Amino acid sequence: MTYEQTLERIHAFPRFGGSPGVERVRKLLAQLGNPQDRLKYIHVAGTNGKGSTCAMIASVLQKAGYRTGLFTSPFLSDFCERIRVDAEKIPRESLVEITEEALPVAQGLIENGEALTEFDFTTALGFLWFARQQCDFVVLEVGLGGRNDATNVIGTPLVSVITSISLDHTSVLGDTVEQIAAEKAGIIKPYGVTVAYGDQLPGAMEVIRRAAMKQHNRLVEAAPSVLSVVSSGLHGTELRYEGLSLHLPLLGEYQVKNAATALAALSVVQEHGYSIPDQALMEGFAAVRFPARMELLSENPLVFLDGAHNPDGTHALAETLRNHLAGRPLVGLIGMLADKDVHTAAENLDGLFEQVVTVTPDNPRAMPAEELAAIWRVRGTPAYPVEGVSAALDKALTLLKENGALVICGSLFLAGEIRPIARKRLREKVGLPADFE
């Protein structure tokens, strides 16, 4: 198969399967030799902050000299982003090879009535690749929820990590924070250690405490107070941690809390006897890269890209904009999915943008640009629906004032679609070389 044919076969699996649970992926992995059983894990669930926390942990472990796998979702521009070893995407030819190996097994199970999903199959591919690469650790991000997520097929990890919990995917996970927390806490395995984000809503934290107690886990509530912010700017945050100076190239107060969670998880890894020198902490934090999380795409003009798409995420985005872009005239380029809480997102961001350009992301669940523009106009913000992300970017750039900033936000699907276009357009605009990163 070609790479394109491989992706077609992977995406042909349904998004959701039949009965929830991990048994179908367990059967698939058993026929593939149970590669997941040969690996050590840091397992990470949560509503917001999973990706950033995973990226921090993986970067530090890599700098400490460990061969480190990183499994995340979704991808932005290339499916291979989901499966990485030492920050390198799985090569396309390798993805083709392991897909060709796993497909007949999956098809056999489907013929016998197993409703395998795309995420089930992709998770199995990740385990295969990490085992063959002989990873020392795998930082494993949950796809959706936790208890019934395909990644939850693993045994007790070195540490279970639960990041910030809030309302999202309510049709699947439940419509209260407590219900969602119970699903996330489903990754807590017997006789392990659990690290929880230290600024949870009370109801969520109580659920996590009960789940940890039931599974005989020591619960570590990551305290943001272990970190002090020295300074912050458009290029990230300078931190102090136990006498160390750490540079985190990510913006936002919530990223400081994610950093405290990552550091608590790394401390647990050290308790298992693994060495993580101070130099690895410093180099690992400085090397963290996480696209579409208040990502600075350009300084002239000033352009940011953020994938926040749920109420907690857009609230954090609004806070970051107030803290770092106060006084600047802001233009928003926004596209959202219709099944997200669009009205709360607009409420959270209300008053921050002088003008908004709306666009329909390339997704069947997308909200039409005109409908999204109407929501902003009701709030008194001039809004211009534009067809196509390239034209929308052009329109937004023409609206920018001197000393202004463009903020592209609303959906990770929009972020993935627009990021390569924006990088190319902005590179040309300021005359940077083609290989500029």
Side-chain angles (χ1 to χ4, degrees):
M1 291 189 295
T2 65
Y3 177 66
E4 290 72 22
Q5 290 169 332
T6 297
L7 293 185
E8 286 178 8
R9 299 298 295 273
I10 293 172
H11 295 322
F13 285 90
R15 185 164 175 255
F16 295 108
S19 300
V22 301
E23 287 309 308
R24 56 183 182 259
V25 74
R26 195 186 304 280
K27 292 176 182 178
L28 173 60
L29 288 164
Q31 294 193 35
L32 294 172
N34 284 318
Q36 78 281 5
D37 291 344
R38 305 198 293 273
L39 299 159
K40 298 181 181 69
Y41 299 95
I42 295 90
H43 198 191
V44 183
T47 306
N48 291 298
K50 297 192 302 292
S52 301
T53 303
C54 285
M56 294 177 207
I57 294 170
S59 185
V60 170
L61 290 174
Q62 181 187 343
K63 293 299 182 182
Y66 298 107
R67 192 155 178 78
T68 305
L70 176 60
F71 183 78
T72 60
S73 60
F75 65 92
L76 283 181
S77 302
D78 181 2
F79 183 89
C80 292
E81 296 168 19
R82 299 183 65 170
I83 303 170
R84 296 174 181 260
V85 174
D86 287 346
E88 295 295 326
K89 297 182 292 187
I90 181 174
R92 290 186 171 189
E93 58 271 20
S94 298
L95 181 69
V96 171
E97 180 183 328
I98 61 173
T99 300
E100 287 177 335
E101 177 182 342
L103 263 178
V105 179
Q107 289 167 340
L109 288 169
I110 291 170
E111 289 169 5
N112 286 320
E114 296 294 340
L116 286 168
T117 68
E118 179 179 341
F119 190 75
D120 292 335
F121 188 73
T122 302
T123 302
L125 295 181
F127 288 138
L128 275 175
W129 183 244
F130 297 139
R132 291 180 184 180
Q133 292 297 298
Q134 298 181 312
C135 290
D136 298 303
F137 301 106
V138 173
V139 182
L140 187 66
E141 182 188 354
V142 166
L144 177 64
R147 180 169 60 93
N148 293 313
D149 190 76
T151 63
N152 208 29
V153 72
I154 65 171
T156 300
L158 293 173
V159 56
S160 302
V161 181
I162 301 178
T163 64
S164 176
I165 293 175
S166 61
L167 295 176
D168 197 14
H169 300 291
T170 52
S171 62
V172 179
L173 301 179
D175 55 10
T176 69
V177 167
E178 289 79 8
Q179 289 174 321
I180 292 174
E183 292 298 318
K184 308 291 185 184
I187 70 166
I188 299 174
K189 299 294 201 307
Y191 301 100
V193 181
T194 298
V195 167
Y197 182 88
D199 194 22
Q200 299 284 5
L201 294 169
M205 186 57 84
E206 184 55 35
V207 170
I208 295 168
R209 290 191 187 109
R210 288 200 303 267
M213 184 179 299
K214 182 177 179 181
Q215 296 286 18
H216 306 285
N217 270 228
R218 175 165 62 90
L219 177 62
V220 179
E221 297 182 24
S225 59
V226 301
L227 287 166
S228 58
V229 177
V230 177
S231 63
S232 62
L234 298 182
H235 293 279
T237 308
E238 304 301 325
L239 303 166
R240 292 289 291 176
Y241 171 69
E242 295 184 350
L244 296 179
S245 295
L246 301 178
H247 171 67
L248 181 62
L250 302 174
L251 277 178
E253 181 186 348
Y254 62 97
Q255 293 292 10
V256 178
K257 297 174 183 178
N258 291 336
T261 306
L263 288 165
L266 289 162
S267 294
V268 174
V269 173
Q270 287 177 298
E271 291 174 6
H272 284 279
Y274 298 99
S275 174
I276 303 177
D278 289 348
Q279 191 66 26
L281 284 174
M282 292 188 290
E283 292 179 2
F285 266 67
V288 171
R289 297 292 181 270
F290 201 56
R293 297 311 189 276
M294 200 56 188
E295 180 185 10
L296 180 60
L297 294 183
S298 168
E299 289 190 71
N300 182 26
L302 194 57
V303 180
F304 289 91
L305 176 66
D306 192 87
H309 55 271
N310 57 39
D312 198 47
T314 52
H315 176 79
L317 171 61
E319 183 179 69
T320 302
L321 296 178
R322 291 187 185 98
N323 288 342
H324 294 280
L325 298 177
R328 293 180 183 269
L330 303 184
V331 173
L333 199 173
I334 305 174
M336 297 194 71
L337 302 188
D339 58 3
K340 297 299 179 182
D341 191 346
V342 179
H343 289 277
T344 299
E347 181 180 345
N348 286 341
L349 296 167
D350 194 20
L352 288 167
F353 300 121
E354 285 195 349
Q355 301 179 88
V356 164
V357 175
T358 62
V359 67
T360 309
D362 184 16
N363 187 284
R365 293 149 50 213
M367 173 173 280
E370 180 59 59
E371 188 177 335
L372 181 57
I375 291 172
W376 281 96
R377 291 188 193 116
V378 166
R379 293 187 165 275
T381 301
Y384 311 96
V386 177
E387 184 175 347
V389 297
S390 183
L393 177 62
D394 287 340
K395 173 67 174 178
L397 289 171
T398 65
L399 296 176
L400 269 183
K401 295 179 180 177
E402 187 176 353
N403 196 41
L406 170 60
V407 180
I408 306 168
C409 61
S411 169
L412 282 171
F413 290 100
L414 171 62
E417 185 181 1
I418 203 170
R419 187 173 186 267
I421 297 169
R423 283 165 60 84
K424 183 175 185 294
R425 189 76 46 82
L426 294 166
R427 189 186 298 127
E428 293 168 349
K429 188 176 182 68
V430 296
L432 294 171
D435 61 351
F436 174 75
E437 288 294 332

